[in-house]
Amino acid sequence: MKEVIDINNANKTKNMVLTAMFTALITAGAYIRIPVPVCPFTLQFLFTTLAGIILGKNRGAAATALYVVLGLAGLPVFTGGGGIGYVLQPTFGYLIGFIAGSYITGAIVHSGKASAKRILMGCFAGLAVVYAMGMIYYYMISAVYMHEPIGLGTLFLYCFVLAVPGDIVLCILSAALAKRLMPVIHAKGTV
């Protein structure tokens, strides 16, 4: 009986450490900026996607949500700082989308055997969710709060067309990384 309790405690500890690690990686990803014209390109999406793939839907979304909560609490973990006022930033919808994207990615990847095809499907589904939520939020904040409505064509160009190519590359990279990391992290006896 004591061995079962020890294994459960070890698994809980491993889960907490992995969740905290991904929260830290997402934070680091916000500060790793690749200079491209028009829109900032960071590695947040890479780590939120990996969180969903490796930790699963619930823990992956929890790691991403913890990142967002820390930022809203005032820690400067977002690309533009932190604080509760960040909810009024047009790009805050992408942060909400990261949580949902991690969940969707994890749900798809862990709904069957984690094949390369399933992992890529999960990554692209998570990407679609992130962009859908980000663009809807951007449109609403621009129109309602900032009183500067943005046209749908302009929104699509700046918030999707110019930004998505890099994130497509990150989907492929996260799938490749996950395929190598999952056996190591989920190996029996590595607790």
Side-chain angles (χ1 to χ4, degrees):
M1 183 69 172
K2 183 171 177 6
E3 289 177 20
V4 172
I5 293 171
D6 288 344
I7 290 171
N8 286 338
N9 287 338
N11 284 335
K12 286 180 186 176
T13 302
K14 179 181 176 183
N15 289 339
M16 285 191 301
V17 167
L18 286 172
T19 301
M21 181 186 75
F22 272 98
T23 301
L25 286 170
I26 296 165
T27 301
Y31 288 99
I32 300 171
R33 295 184 185 136
I34 298 166
V36 291
V38 182
C39 55
F41 180 74
T42 68
L43 296 183
Q44 289 167 297
F45 178 71
L46 172 70
F47 295 121
T48 59
T49 301
L50 278 172
I53 295 170
I54 292 174
L55 301 179
K57 61 183 182 183
N58 293 326
R59 288 185 292 129
T64 308
L66 179 59
Y67 163 73
V68 173
V69 167
L70 289 172
L72 291 176
L75 295 176
V77 297
F78 300 145
T79 303
I84 194 70
Y86 215 82
V87 298
L88 299 175
Q89 294 291 324
T91 56
F92 184 71
Y94 291 97
L95 294 172
I96 298 168
F98 286 154
I99 299 168
S102 293
Y103 184 88
I104 294 297
T105 300
I108 291 171
V109 170
H110 293 277
S111 66
K113 184 179 182 290
S115 65
K117 181 180 177 183
R118 184 179 302 279
I119 293 171
L120 264 176
M121 250 177 32
C123 291
F124 285 118
L127 178 66
V129 168
V130 169
Y131 273 88
M133 294 182 84
M135 290 171 64
I136 290 168
Y137 197 90
Y138 196 105
Y139 182 81
M140 290 173 50
I141 285 292
S142 295
V144 176
Y145 174 70
M146 299 173 72
H147 303 292
E148 297 175 11
I150 186 170
L152 291 178
T154 305
L155 177 74
F156 186 73
L157 175 66
Y158 287 107
C159 296
F160 182 77
V161 173
L162 296 175
V164 81
D167 288 334
I168 290 172
V169 171
L170 291 181
C171 280
I172 296 165
L173 179 61
S174 62
L177 284 170
K179 203 64 179 141
R180 291 188 170 262
L181 291 172
M182 287 176 77
V184 174
I185 291 174
H186 298 300
K188 301 291 183 207
T190 61
V191 193

